[in-house]
Amino acid sequence: MKDIDVIAVLQDPVRRRLYEYVAAQGREVGRNEAAEAAGVARTLAAHHLDRLTEAGLLESGSRRLTGRSGPGAGRPAKVYTRARVERSVSLPARDYRTAAELLAEAAEEAGLDAGLCAAARRRGESLRGAAAPCGDLAEAMELLAARGYEPHLEAGEEGEDGQGDRGGVVRMRNCPFHLVAERFPPLVCGMNLALLEGLIGTDGPVRARMDARPGECCVVVEASKNNEH
C-alpha cells in the first residue's frame, strides 16, 4: 500500500481518534480501552483497529490483560501499538531525507558538530522569539507538542547524586529527526539538544538534557537544578 493510501485510511474520524489514542499511550492498548476512549462500540472499534493494522499504521498482538496466567486466567486479548514505520506524502515528490543524510554525513566528516549545534541553538531561540524561557514543565510540553515531539510527563526520578527526587521529567515518544538520528546519532542528537535549549531557554526554571532511551527522543526536559528547593 502506498503512503498516500495509508494516510487516506485516517480520513475516517473514528479511525483517526482510535489511532491517535493508541499512538499517545506508548504501550499496548486493548479493544475495550480503545473503544471507550473513542466513544464507540467495541465491535466498531475492533473493525477500525484491524483496518489500521492492515494499513501498517498499528501493530497487533495478544496477551492476557488480567496479568494472570494458567487455568482461569482467560483467553488472551488482542492489543495494539503504533507501528514504528514512518509515512510521508509530498506532492510533487520530494526527497528531503536524502539531502538531510548527505548534509549530516558531510558535517560529521568535517567535524562540524560545534557549528551545527550553534546554528541549532540560534534556530531554537528564533522560534521562541521574544518570549521568555519556559516558565514550567506544562509550558514546555505545549511547545514540544506543537513541534511533534509527543511529550509525556513521567514521575520523578532519582537525582544524579543518588539522593532525592527530580520531580516530573518530560520524555518524548517521537523524535522528528528519527531516521537521520539513527544513522548519525551523536551529530543529530547533539543538534536536537541544542535546538531545544534554544527553544526552551537555558536560564529559566526548566532545562533540556540528554538522556537517551530506546524508542524515545534522546532529550528530556526537567526542572532546572537552580530552581529546585
Side-chain angles (χ1 to χ4, degrees):
M1 187 178 289
K2 295 180 179 179
D3 281 5
I4 192 168
D5 297 319
V6 171
I7 292 172
V9 169
L10 295 172
Q11 183 176 0
D12 183 278
V14 173
R15 200 173 292 157
R16 181 160 185 161
R17 288 203 304 273
L18 287 164
Y19 173 78
E20 289 176 343
Y21 179 77
V22 173
Q25 304 316 302
R27 57 173 172 78
E28 294 176 328
V29 174
R31 287 173 167 175
N32 288 338
E33 179 186 348
E36 184 177 350
V40 298
R42 183 183 184 279
T43 52
L44 180 60
H47 166 74
H48 284 306
L49 289 166
D50 286 340
R51 183 73 182 92
L52 290 164
T53 302
E54 291 169 7
L57 290 166
L58 297 180
E59 295 177 354
S60 64
S62 61
R63 67 177 176 85
R64 289 187 173 89
L65 299 178
T66 60
R68 295 179 296 167
S69 60
R75 294 176 58 187
K78 201 162 187 179
V79 292
Y80 303 84
T81 56
R82 179 169 60 180
R84 298 299 299 173
V85 66
E86 216 170 277
R87 306 285 184 178
S88 64
V89 173
S90 177
L91 299 172
R94 298 287 188 262
D95 189 5
Y96 299 114
R97 175 185 171 184
T98 297
E101 290 180 345
L102 288 170
L103 290 168
E105 183 177 352
E108 189 171 75
E109 290 178 354
L112 299 177
D113 304 55
L116 177 61
C117 287
R121 192 170 290 105
R122 289 194 300 271
R123 174 57 64 91
E125 292 169 351
S126 175
L127 291 170
R128 176 157 54 95
C134 287
D136 53 33
L137 291 179
E139 185 180 343
M141 288 181 70
E142 287 185 15
L143 280 175
L144 294 167
R147 302 208 62 80
Y149 283 91
E150 298 183 5
H152 64 102
L153 187 63
E154 273 197 353
E157 301 179 342
E158 188 178 79
E160 292 175 358
D161 58 0
Q163 302 295 323
D165 185 271
R166 290 184 183 278
V169 175
V170 176
R171 293 187 177 274
M172 294 164 267
R173 294 194 176 99
N174 183 52
C175 171
F177 317 110
H178 173 68
L179 290 176
V180 186
E182 277 193 322
R183 286 198 58 191
F184 308 95
L187 181 78
V188 178
C189 290
M191 177 199 75
N192 188 27
L193 174 61
L195 177 70
L196 293 183
E197 286 176 339
L199 183 66
I200 293 168
T202 56
D203 54 354
V206 299
R207 67 162 184 166
R209 66 176 174 89
M210 198 78 76
D211 188 10
R213 196 162 76 173
E216 294 188 347
C217 177
C218 57
V219 179
V220 299
V221 176
E222 64 185 3
S224 299
K225 285 188 175 182
N226 58 18
N227 194 54
E228 296 174 354
H229 298 287

